[in-house]
Structure formats: structure tokens, C-alpha cells
Amino acid sequence: MTYISAELRQLVRERANGCCEYCRMPDDDAFRSHEIDHIEAEKHGGMTIEVNLCFCCWICNRHKGTDLTSRDPETRQVTLLYHPRKNLWSDHFRLDGARIEGLTPVGRVTVKLLQMNKSTRVKEREILISLNRFPL
Ligand SMILES: [Zn+2]
């Protein structure tokens, strides 16, 4: 695992307002602390620099792994995953109650691969929304 300085970790966390840049789960309410994700994994040449790092919950990070693409569940086309530095969340996702809906092929593949709407995750999101602790 590559060393990431405390200053760079802090910058990535603050830039994300302490929330996962994929599913928006706040770090303060997560069972395990969020992590710094290499958006483009090091094995694909991704570097440990600000533009290739994002703040990511443990669950999203485990499902994403080193993947860069997946197949769109609607068209079966190989599609790039959501890129927090290049894409705008609201262009690709929206909340439908406590479910995250993919609005584009990028959104759909990311929701599916990262299992953002697994029942336990939706339940957790419902609770946080009801407590005004989830960023809407
Ligand atoms: Zn997440």
C-alpha cells in the first residue's frame, strides 16, 4: 500500500466534506472509517496525486477494487465507472427516497458494481435521511 501523507489525506477528506464521493455516506456515521481511494488504481498507472484520489467508504471501496469499468445493466456496453474528479455526482445519480438511481450509463454501472442499493445500505441511508444526517 502506497504511503499517503497526512496532509494529502486531510485535503481529500475536506474536499469531499467528509462523505464518500460515490454513495455520499458521511464518514462520521460509518461503521468503519472511510478510506482514500485511488480512482485509477496504481496497477493501471494511477498516481498518488490529488486528482487521482477520492474519499471513499469502506463498502464502496471493496466493491470497486481496482475496476475502471463495468457493463451497463441496460445495454451490456462496457462503460467507465463514475470518476469523482471528472464527473459531477448530480449529472449521474439522484436520490429516489433512500435509493441511489443511476441517471446515465456511468451512473448505472457504478450503482450496480458498488452495490449502492443493497438492502442494508438503503436502510442505513433511510435512517440517516430521517435524522438529517445524509447530504441531500
Ligand atoms: Zn460509499
Side-chain angles (χ1 to χ4, degrees), residues 22-23 56 59-61 63-64 81 109-117 121:
Y22 296 99
C23 76
C56 186
I59 298 171
C60 283
N61 210 4
H63 289 301
K64 177 178 170 285
L81 296 176
V109 296
T110 306
V111 165
K112 182 170 179 263
L113 188 74
L114 276 52
Q115 298 185 27
M116 289 181 180
N117 290 322
R121 300 184 81 185

Side-chain angles (χ1 to χ4, degrees), residues 89 94-101 111 116-119 122 125-126 129:
W89 198 91
R94 75 177 186 99
L95 275 176
D96 178 13
R99 293 179 58 82
I100 296 175
E101 180 186 354
V111 165
M116 289 181 180
N117 290 322
K118 192 173 174 185
S119 62
V122 172
R125 219 174 280 132
E126 276 174 2
I129 289 170

Side-chain angles (χ1 to χ4, degrees), residues 57-73:
C57 77
W58 184 83
I59 298 171
C60 283
N61 210 4
R62 288 303 164 281
H63 289 301
K64 177 178 170 285
T66 61
D67 293 343
L68 301 172
T69 65
S70 188
R71 286 194 185 274
D72 182 349

Side-chain angles (χ1 to χ4, degrees), residues 20-134:
C20 175
E21 296 190 64
Y22 296 99
C23 76
R24 293 194 158 179
M25 171 63 72
D27 185 38
D28 290 344
D29 293 306
F31 180 69
R32 290 181 69 153
S33 294
H34 287 14
E35 302 172 336
I36 307 297
D37 172 46
H38 283 80
I39 299 165
E40 184 179 316
E42 291 177 286
K43 79 178 198 184
H44 300 301
M47 297 172 66
T48 305
I49 54 176
E50 288 176 39
V51 294
N52 190 45
L53 299 175
C54 77
F55 202 53
C56 186
C57 77
W58 184 83
I59 298 171
C60 283
N61 210 4
R62 288 303 164 281
H63 289 301
K64 177 178 170 285
T66 61
D67 293 343
L68 301 172
T69 65
S70 188
R71 286 194 185 274
D72 182 349
E74 288 186 13
T75 65
R76 303 293 301 149
Q77 293 295 307
V78 173
T79 304
L80 287 171
L81 296 176
Y82 173 72
H83 191 300
R85 299 282 74 77
K86 295 179 180 172
N87 304 136
L88 187 62
W89 198 91
S90 57
D91 286 346
H92 297 281
F93 308 100
R94 75 177 186 99
L95 275 176
D96 178 13
R99 293 179 58 82
I100 296 175
E101 180 186 354
L103 300 173
T104 62
V106 166
R108 289 193 297 268
V109 296
T110 306
V111 165
K112 182 170 179 263
L113 188 74
L114 276 52
Q115 298 185 27
M116 289 181 180
N117 290 322
K118 192 173 174 185
S119 62
T120 51
R121 300 184 81 185
V122 172
K123 283 252 185 277
E124 192 173 30
R125 219 174 280 132
E126 276 174 2
I127 292 167
L128 292 174
I129 289 170
S130 75
L131 297 171
N132 291 321
R133 294 193 59 86
F134 193 83

